[in-house]
Amino acid sequence: AGAPCGATPPLAGGPETCTPGRQAGDVSACLEPQHSAVLGFRLFNRMQAACWERLYSGSGSLVVSAPTGAGKTALFEIAILGMLRRHGARGPGESGGAPKALYLAPLKALCDEKASEWISKFETIGAQVAKLTGDTESRGTAVENATVIVATPEMWDGFSRRSRAALDVLRAVELVCLDEVHMLNLPRRGAVLESAVARLRMCWRLQQDMGLRPADAAQAVGGPPSGPR
């Protein structure tokens, strides 16, 4: 379950609030220098200012409802940067086993746009981006080494069910963005999205509530047999 931005106060133990004496929405005062450079803008708008701290500290789920062009994509970027801040970014080819962020959107064109944008943004801090869409499927090794995975629900569903790389990837996903989430109302595509998300949630729950190892949890929710590597 998520909460709208601004529904809860800043959580104790999260990142420090913006530096006193600086403008409250000043990105450079709130994020680490290399992270504020990735975002590429100087000031948070009101919506972003209400959300950034919870996302940067990884303090739980959020549901964000705002008009097109309001800056929602930047919120997911902040969440990715927060994940890297907690775990440490790795250089190219060294991301295997590190936590991953998954972006799901229903349109191939939207996935292409975000992947292209994030490849140029995140490569500056050593984070790789892989894309799964209907036309071009990244090889398993590319997805395994990626920090950010961009996919349509159908391609992610197929990858997570059939690919031998799925076990390692599935258990490493820590952060998920569901764009255009109203597609849940669609008869067929909504069911695919719901199935993909349910598999991720079950994997996490098996790890947390039952104490299963990540590999066993991933296997239990329908991953392929983990044969010799």
Side-chain angles (χ1 to χ4, degrees):
C5 286
T8 56
L11 300 181
E16 296 180 358
T17 55
C18 300
T19 305
R22 301 289 292 277
Q23 189 169 346
D26 191 331
V27 174
S28 64
C30 299
L31 308 186
E32 294 183 1
Q34 67 272 28
H35 293 166
S36 60
V38 169
L39 289 184
F41 56 86
R42 191 173 65 86
L43 298 175
F44 290 132
N45 62 28
R46 290 180 62 187
M47 178 196 67
Q48 294 163 346
C51 298
W52 78 268
E53 189 169 11
R54 182 169 182 144
L55 292 167
Y56 201 49
S57 65
S59 301
S61 300
L62 286 176
V63 176
V64 181
S65 178
T68 300
K72 298 186 295 295
T73 298
L75 296 178
F76 186 53
E77 294 171 357
I78 292 168
I80 294 171
L81 294 170
M83 181 185 74
L84 296 176
R85 176 177 179 265
R86 293 188 300 276
H87 297 284
R90 301 189 180 190
E94 299 179 318
S95 298
K100 300 181 186 298
L102 172 65
Y103 172 87
L104 295 178
L107 301 177
K108 174 187 175 297
L110 185 55
C111 288
D112 289 343
E113 176 188 337
K114 297 305 180 188
S116 177
E117 178 183 347
W118 287 337
I119 286 171
S120 60
K121 274 191 173 186
F122 288 111
E123 69 179 1
T124 62
I125 55 173
Q128 296 187 63
V129 177
K131 180 179 65 175
L132 293 169
T133 62
D135 292 343
T136 57
E137 179 176 356
S138 297
R139 295 183 182 275
T141 53
V143 177
E144 284 181 315
N145 289 330
T147 300
V148 182
I149 302 169
V150 178
T152 60
E154 290 82 3
M155 286 301 298
W156 172 254
D157 186 60
F159 172 82
S160 63
R161 288 178 184 273
R162 296 189 295 269
S163 171
R164 283 192 173 274
L167 287 175
D168 290 334
V169 174
L170 187 64
R171 69 193 188 200
V173 173
E174 179 177 298
L175 179 66
V176 179
C177 175
L178 306 179
D179 206 351
E180 307 291 342
V181 72
H182 58 270
M183 69 173 287
L184 278 170
N185 289 324
L186 299 179
R188 179 179 174 277
R189 303 198 74 189
V192 174
L193 177 59
E194 183 178 11
S195 173
V197 173
R199 192 175 304 113
L200 283 166
R201 288 176 61 87
M202 181 62 71
C203 184
W204 296 333
R205 191 165 295 173
L206 287 171
Q207 292 180 58
Q208 295 173 2
D209 296 346
M210 299 182 62
L212 291 184
R213 295 180 308 152
D216 294 335
Q219 181 72 56
V221 295
S226 53
R229 295 184 180 274

